Amino acid sequence: MTEVRVRFAPSPTGELHIGGARTALFNWLFARKEKGTFVLRIDDTDTERSQEKYWKGILEGLNWLGLDWDEGPEKGGPYGPYFQSQRYDSYIREINKLLGKGKAYRCYCSKEELAKGREEAKKQGKPFIYPGNCRPKDNQKDQLDPNLDISESVIRFKTPDSGETVIHDKIRGTVTFENQHIEDFIILKSDGVPTYNFASVVDDWEMNISHVIRAEEHLTNTSRQKLIAEALSYNVPEYAHVPIILAPDKSKLSKRHGATSVQEFRDEGFLPEALINYLALMGWSPPGEQEILSLDEIVKYFSLERVSKTAAIYDLKKVTWINGHYFRESDPERLADLSIPFLQARGFLPENPTIEDKEMTNKIVKVMHDRAKTLKEFADSVDYFFHENFQYDEKEVSKVLGKEDAGRNIKYLIDKLKDVENFNKENIEKAFQETCQELDISPGRLNKPVRLALSGVTMGPELMDMVQILGKDKTLQRLEEALQKIEELIGQ
């Protein structure tokens, strides 16, 4: 088998979308499975929309996901540069080859002229195909001077008038395009910038790419790119087009369906390994019914033959469920470190957390990490550990603290806890047990109002853990404040 060299070639015109991340993952998995090379290339020929912040964000997103590239920006490699904007000399050289062979030509048609043609085709209910107004009738040859002003013209590829272009796709099978339906498309714009279809072919050839694995929506482009490759006598890479990702209602995926970029998932507090696991299952299935897979397991089982032809459906509930699993199984100390920015954003921790702050966070994570599905959800649910201004669930206040024995029970517990010198879990539990025994009440009659007094809610981590983390002073202070609330309720 030929040495496997695959590439992920995003356009830096926005954030790394989950569709792009899935494409990067499938390329990375194929390279790792076949002991090949994963190349990252930035296709920045869209000069109007490409921005440095976007390609840097793409690199950041790939690094966060753990998808390391073997060649590309920040790594270098023998086939650089890895930005299309730095490869224009190659494109002009190859365009000159096509012009010299009579397989490309200059087009001087105005935008107004072409717009008129599109409008007419629209009225007739037909797709617009460039009519070949500037196409030479004979096998005219030309050369392009890199210093020549071509602002009044573009360069078009001369598509064969007949025959078929056949794509042997490793996922979709054989796909055939009638050449007569492929117009003479532009390969060099009037500003001297090559189009995506042309630049990608040249780059894939010069970078020795063996397999092009990309989204289904590029399938039409593939017919054009194969024509260019054949006209330049290039070896054509093998193609594999992965299924499109649709919203749950089968519409085009957009922001209204929830997080759709890698950055959004990261900012929502998802774990990279969970997102990788989910992305792998969007259009690919491992043998068996297993859905939770480590990256090593995904590499072991991955093959293009197991990639589906049908659209993948975006399911935010499923990715959240998968993240919840990884959240529960993760090392609490790692989760504590990852949660710090989320806690800082809510004002729970200072910009430079102290050792005591970090120890406190570690303790909270250990008792709470099985109750949250994301880092953001975790941070939203632990406010009462960090400050006194947490909100009481007012529905529960009257129902729980309003019971006639709630005040008596809490007062009795306060006295017990005041006598506890070594405020550890064992001694705290003993004080609760003695209170229940001496008052002849069930643990629920005591625990529920105490939990509400300490946290403002009736659900949460194991109560003794909560009391120990809060410490003696905070616990007693909040219980005293709860007594005041009870008095207010009774007074009403």
Side-chain angles (χ1 to χ4, degrees), residues 8 116 119 157 352 379:
F8 175 52
K116 185 178 179 181
E119 186 62 32
F157 179 79
N352 298 305

Side-chain angles (χ1 to χ4, degrees), residues 190-257:
S190 59
D191 58 3
V193 176
T195 59
Y196 162 77
N197 278 318
F198 183 76
S200 290
V201 175
V202 175
D203 290 342
D204 289 344
W205 166 251
E206 293 193 345
M207 293 181 181
N208 203 26
I209 299 302
S210 63
H211 295 73
V212 173
I213 304 170
R214 57 187 177 189
E216 176 189 347
E217 54 259 40
H218 284 291
L219 189 55
T220 303
N221 289 329
T222 302
S223 62
R224 300 182 177 200
Q225 292 178 11
K226 186 178 182 185
L227 286 171
I228 292 171
E230 290 174 340
L232 288 168
S233 301
Y234 292 170
N235 291 330
V236 178
E238 294 193 58
Y239 290 99
H241 290 86
V242 300
I244 193 171
I245 299 174
L246 296 177
D249 60 1
K250 306 295 179 66
S251 65
K252 184 179 179 181
L253 188 61
S254 65
K255 288 186 178 295
R256 67 187 175 88
H257 298 109

